[in-house]
Amino acid sequence: MCKLSNLETLIWRRISGTSPVSLPYAIWNLNKLRHLQLEDELCNSYYFRFPDNNLDNYSQLYDMDFLYGIYLNPRENINKLLGKFPNIRKLRSSLDLDESYKYHVAIERLRQLESLNLSCDIYPDGPYQFNIQYPSAIKKLTLSCFLKKV
């Protein structure tokens, strides 16, 4: 993947599986990447897990415009990861909440964000406090699957 320095669009289709797809560290070197999407054969969405160790050592993906399927784990540094996509306009992501935490996701830093689709699975041993700060440019907001898993 590191040899695809001019890659602008990556649509990853897979036949089966439910776990997130782990992207290689080379993803941070694709500076021209504008569109990243993961789906299965039935066009259901699955999620990418970006490599997030040592995020300070990797550059921002300024050209990223459309990110369809990023997996966000509240126990990791969500805000630092989202900061790697400062000009993103469309974002579809999944949050996995599995313990009793207070969650704060600073999406307002994404000043160009116009469309946000956020799905979330939570487990029955809450309670949860969930705070999302949205940017003023948001035009479309979809919240789905905020269900308790048993």
Side-chain angles (χ1 to χ4, degrees), residues 120-131:
C120 181
D121 293 324
I122 60 176
Y123 292 78
D125 55 341
Y128 301 96
Q129 285 187 334
F130 194 70
N131 179 21

Side-chain angles (χ1 to χ4, degrees), residues 24-71:
Y25 280 95
I27 194 76
W28 296 120
N29 297 327
L30 301 178
N31 294 325
K32 295 182 180 180
L33 191 62
R34 297 178 47 79
H35 182 116
L36 181 58
Q37 179 175 344
L38 176 65
E39 59 187 37
D40 73 357
E41 61 189 359
L42 301 174
C43 295
N44 295 319
S45 60
Y46 286 104
Y47 296 95
F48 288 112
R49 181 181 297 273
F50 274 81
D52 58 2
N53 291 338
N54 302 316
L55 279 176
D56 294 331
N57 296 335
Y58 298 99
S59 62
Q60 292 179 310
L61 297 178
Y62 288 103
D63 289 343
M64 183 69 74
D65 182 58
F66 184 94
L67 181 53
Y68 194 87
I70 183 174
Y71 178 82

Side-chain angles (χ1 to χ4, degrees), residues 1-138:
M1 187 179 276
C2 63
K3 296 186 187 253
L4 303 173
S5 61
N6 291 315
L7 186 68
E8 292 183 12
T9 300
L10 174 59
I11 300 173
W12 188 318
R13 290 193 175 106
R14 67 185 197 175
I15 296 172
S16 64
T18 57
S19 61
V21 171
S22 295
L23 293 170
Y25 280 95
I27 194 76
W28 296 120
N29 297 327
L30 301 178
N31 294 325
K32 295 182 180 180
L33 191 62
R34 297 178 47 79
H35 182 116
L36 181 58
Q37 179 175 344
L38 176 65
E39 59 187 37
D40 73 357
E41 61 189 359
L42 301 174
C43 295
N44 295 319
S45 60
Y46 286 104
Y47 296 95
F48 288 112
R49 181 181 297 273
F50 274 81
D52 58 2
N53 291 338
N54 302 316
L55 279 176
D56 294 331
N57 296 335
Y58 298 99
S59 62
Q60 292 179 310
L61 297 178
Y62 288 103
D63 289 343
M64 183 69 74
D65 182 58
F66 184 94
L67 181 53
Y68 194 87
I70 183 174
Y71 178 82
L72 300 173
N73 184 335
R75 290 164 303 287
E76 298 163 4
N77 194 340
I78 292 174
N79 297 325
K80 188 178 277 191
L81 180 61
L82 290 177
K84 292 294 183 181
F85 316 108
N87 297 317
I88 196 158
R89 289 185 320 108
K90 296 180 182 180
L91 175 65
R92 180 174 186 155
S93 64
S94 171
L95 281 171
D96 185 18
L97 310 179
D98 65 359
E99 295 183 23
S100 182
Y101 284 112
K102 292 182 181 179
Y103 297 100
H104 176 78
V105 181
I107 294 177
E108 83 277 1
R109 294 176 52 195
L110 304 176
R111 292 186 178 98
Q112 308 299 321
L113 190 65
E114 296 176 359
S115 175
L116 174 64
N117 183 320
L118 183 63
S119 66
C120 181
D121 293 324
I122 60 176
Y123 292 78
D125 55 341
Y128 301 96
Q129 285 187 334
F130 194 70
N131 179 21
I132 299 178
Q133 297 174 347
Y134 302 101
S136 60
I138 206 92

